[in-house]
Amino acid sequence: MTEHPAYATLRPVTRYASVLLAENPSPMTLEGTNTWVVGEPGATSRAVIDPGPEDADHLRRVADEGPVSLVLLTHHHGDHTDGVERFVELTGAPVRALDPALCRGAEPLRDGEVVDAGGVDLRVLATPGHTADSVCFAVQDDEPAVFTGDSVLGRGTTVVAHPDGHLGSYLESLRRLADLPEGLRVLPGHGPELPDVRAVAAHYLQHRHQRLDQVRAALADLGPAATPRQVVEKVYAEVDRAVWPAADLTVQAQLTYLQETA
């Protein structure tokens, strides 16, 4: 079976979900954005989760897997949504997201509702934190899985960038994912799929609390007036400097959380 990363080809992952990897690799997108095509075998239409960047070849390949009856968005970031307008032109499919401004010809998503995606029942889970409008989509049948967008990645950890990202909300969302039944595979927005969202969410929670302890220690050393970049230089010294601007925003989110919980 073909494994991640595989460009320009639709890669089956479960009975009902296949992924097409966009060729937009970067330090922030890993190998690129995962566009998920969802539908039961033999279904007359498919749903698409996150069409991806404005890449004509990628969007055409996804559209050719149709007909597409619905587009779902996990959040507003451009590497997931910049191609939406072109994709709607190609397919005529309505677009649903938590944010009404992203919707096209359909109502916004509601936390807890069940969406029909090509014969697959997707339960909407509001998981704010990475962004205010982040959602996941859970499938609980004989091949349980959860499409996590950027709330949980297939490798590494996600950015919680102030001000749209909010660490307190993100920790609550991770607890929600950690409370899901065992055995739900992670079908992420970036990186390879993972075997169990509960285990990954628990690891993420541990990692976030370790980082908060490191930020507290940095502030004790630098003083309460320390800038986010000064904290980054201490806490994220081992991280690729190409992502330090994102780390600045992550530290600001951490500082905001510490102020909120003081």
Side-chain angles (χ1 to χ4, degrees), residues 235-255:
V235 175
Y236 291 86
E238 81 285 0
V239 173
D240 185 345
R241 289 190 177 219
V243 299
W244 271 21
D248 287 339
L249 298 176
T250 293
V251 167
Q252 184 59 64
Q254 292 165 335
L255 295 175

Side-chain angles (χ1 to χ4, degrees), residues 10 14-15 39 58 82 101 106 137 141 176-177 179-180 189 211 214-215 225 227 232 238 240 248:
L10 190 71
T14 72
R15 180 192 75 250
H58 174 74
D82 280 352
F137 302 101
D141 68 358
R176 186 176 193 186
L177 293 173
D179 284 340
L180 290 173
R211 283 297 195 202
Q214 291 170 341
V215 171
T227 66
V232 166
E238 81 285 0
D240 185 345
D248 287 339

